[in-house]
Amino acid sequence: MHLVRQPAGAGSEAELFTGEEHRKLAEEGEALLFSHTLETLIGGQLDAGLTLCGFYEDRYGNQDLLSRHMPTFIATRAVKAL
């Protein structure tokens, strides 16, 4: 397990860690985490002229504590008018 250097949803760990830190994480079998804020995700789609027409929430089963209490994943469906 490793420490997070930024608030959740603030971007990619790939942008924060040095090459040496990336190598160490890979050797330990750790994944780099990446996320978007809802503002970035949905706002970016709307700014691009897309119409949000679907939204879905899901959980990571009951395998982690957070998923037992709330959805931990989202997906959007957005379309652009022709």
Side-chain angles (χ1 to χ4, degrees):
M1 182 123 56
H2 62 278
L3 297 175
V4 176
R5 296 183 182 187
Q6 63 183 9
S12 170
E13 290 180 349
E15 300 165 351
L16 299 173
F17 292 144
T18 66
E20 178 63 23
E21 290 168 320
H22 282 225
R23 185 191 60 73
K24 185 176 178 188
L25 288 171
E27 286 178 357
E28 295 172 357
E30 293 286 338
L32 289 177
L33 303 177
F34 187 83
S35 63
H36 297 283
T37 63
L38 288 176
E39 179 180 3
T40 300
L41 177 69
I42 296 172
Q45 292 173 344
L46 297 175
D47 289 346
L50 300 172
T51 299
L52 189 63
C53 59
F55 185 85
Y56 174 75
E57 294 180 308
D58 203 356
R59 299 168 190 258
Y60 191 66
N62 280 327
Q63 299 176 16
D64 68 293
L65 184 60
L66 190 57
S67 287
R68 292 179 194 159
H69 301 283
M70 63 181 285
T72 52
F73 298 98
I74 66 161
T76 62
R77 181 171 188 266
V79 296
K80 188 159 193 159
L82 298 176

